[in-house]
Amino acid sequence: MKSINGIQFADMVQMGAHHLFQNADYVDALNVFPVPDGDTGTNMNLSMTSGAKETAAHTNEHIGKTAQALSKGLLMGARGNSGVILSQLFRGFGKSIEQFDTLNAKQFADALNYGVETAYKAVMKPVEGTILTVAKDSARKAVEVSEDVEDIRELMEAIVAEAKKSLDRTPDLLPVLKEVGVVDSGGQGLVFVYEGFLASLKGEELPSKTIGSSMDDLVSAEHHMSVQGFMDTADIEFGFCTEFMVRFEDGKKAFDETTFRNDLSEYGDSLLVISDDEIAKIHIHSETPGEVLTYGQQYGDLIKIKIENMRQQHTEIVGEGYSTGETTKKAEIHPYAIVTVAMGSGVSELLKSLGASAVIEGGQTMNPSTEDIVKAIEAVGAERVLILPNNKNIVMAAEQAAEILGIEAAVVPTKTIPQGMAAILAFNPQATVEENKNNMTESYAQVKTGQVTFAVRDTSIDGVEIKKDDFMALAEGKIVLSNPSLKEVTTSLIQTLMDEEAEIVTVIYGEGVSEEEANEFAAFIEAKYGEVEVEVYNGKQPLYPYILSVE
């Protein structure tokens, strides 16, 4: 095979996306950090799925045009750092071949290499031992091999082989990977994509699914969603996209995934259920989301609830005259907007009370995509916008959103909720976007962040022995303590954060902590540190019993 056209490339994309999709949970499991952050596979899968959908909808014999569709789909669907980097790899790839009808081996290799250059430029501080390294090493091998090899299948075999070798080397480049004994999760995701490409070129079947029957449901769900773009609003049988999680509780109904899925399937379609010993994630399209939630409550607490009216969404997408009966108001354009990201209704209200125009639901384990951020900003309607991600894994997606918005926009790269709060307080509506970005960045740098969460695995990092399910204290993102006692972890954490310049401590307590416990902790701080002012808020955030701000 000495060349490929756009149709063949589209099939490679579908196979690559499918293979990554089948193994997304495995990629999630490679995330080394012991906090509930195992979402690289999910983010890459959702990003690649978005690219594959756009590719399928705009497949063209002209490979340059097909690659543009992949680039656009990946760009809009990108979420999480690995998803954004993946989008940049194929953005560069697409850019380099936009004029080509077909690709030969040399051109394919050069395009991969240009994609790597594009991705490296997009990352402020590239870290070796990650997806970037795997992409770079395999592209370099492709360029080398293409000097002597004309068959693209042979070239792709060499790319996959080198990508795997590079992946195996990632623990030598990133000590934390070696410490925990895993390879890089993002690099593994890219290997799955390339393996899919190779299988498509060779006409081979990929290995069977690896993570259980719920993947069949995922395939159906994704297929259903892809079909929506070609249907009428009136044809949508189940109108509410319903997503939530159930945290299992003792004393409630014992969870059995098969029974759970079978029961929920009676309420709608596009059902997805993924579970472990503690929690189940559910996605379903239903006409009766309230009944679905009531069913889920039999098993435990409901968290991360999101219900969207798909008929309304579809109408907005296709521009039909669907109406809810409400009077349509002309959108108001605001001179300035602050759009931020948070988990927990209490945290969301807190940020809005400080001045946020909109808060996107998301954060750890639930990173919004570039498109999610763009839509939220467009819904606000503003001439200028400042975006506060409040999470390191959302910064790159936010930056991509700022680039494509078409209005004056900047990202204030906040990585925690306390940083976001401090940044909002420094906002000046009379200042320019650039001035605000600089002032807000300077302001949040003065705030210390403490977080308490729980461990999802046994491990040892930076000399701290960590046991699964123990509470962990993170001071400025670094794990400083792990202990079964929430009280002990929290009191130790605040002592780590405090110094003689501390004046205000903000305690944001989340799910699993009572108001009485939070007030008791505040009293401890006031008793120990005299003049320090302590403010307490119920953030209702999942995963993090406490978020602390010291300024």
Side-chain angles (χ1 to χ4, degrees), residues 235-241 267-269 285-287 310-311:
D235 293 335
I236 298 176
E237 182 179 2
F238 300 103
F240 296 91
C241 177
Y267 293 98
D269 65 7
H285 296 172
S286 174
E287 271 300 277
M310 295 193 298
R311 294 190 184 94

Side-chain angles (χ1 to χ4, degrees), residues 449-451 473-480 493 496-497:
T449 298
Q451 295 166 298
L474 290 87
E476 300 287 78
K478 182 180 174 63
I479 298 170
V480 295
L493 174 60
T496 300
L497 294 170

Side-chain angles (χ1 to χ4, degrees), residues 113 116 120 128-144 158-159 162-167 169-170 173 190 194:
N113 203 44
V116 170
Y120 267 84
E128 298 300 338
T130 66
I131 180 175
L132 285 169
T133 304
V134 175
K136 179 181 65 179
D137 290 348
S138 51
R140 183 181 295 158
K141 174 61 73 173
V143 172
E144 176 187 327
I159 292 169
E162 182 60 30
K164 289 180 177 177
K165 290 178 183 175
S166 178
L167 180 67
R169 293 193 292 267
T170 55
L173 298 171
L190 184 63
Y194 285 169

Side-chain angles (χ1 to χ4, degrees), residues 18-84:
H18 182 67
H19 195 41
L20 174 60
F21 169 75
Q22 285 188 304
N23 294 285
D25 275 11
Y26 175 72
V27 178
D28 278 345
L30 291 175
N31 275 159
V32 296
F33 213 47
V35 300
D37 188 27
D39 57 359
T40 297
T42 302
N43 286 334
M44 290 187 74
N45 171 44
L46 292 171
S47 305
M48 194 67 194
T49 297
S50 176
K53 284 181 182 176
E54 191 72 14
T55 303
H58 298 91
T59 299
N60 192 296
E61 286 194 10
H62 188 289
I63 195 168
K65 293 180 180 177
T66 300
Q68 294 305 305
L70 172 62
S71 176
K72 179 184 177 184
L74 274 168
L75 179 69
M76 298 307 291
R79 64 184 76 210
N81 289 344
S82 293
V84 172

Side-chain angles (χ1 to χ4, degrees), residues 52 140 145 385:
R140 183 181 295 158
V145 171
V385 65

Side-chain angles (χ1 to χ4, degrees), residues 286-302:
S286 174
E287 271 300 277
T288 54
E291 293 181 12
V292 172
L293 297 179
T294 299
Y295 175 81
Q297 274 185 309
Q298 298 177 84
Y299 295 87
D301 271 347
L302 303 186

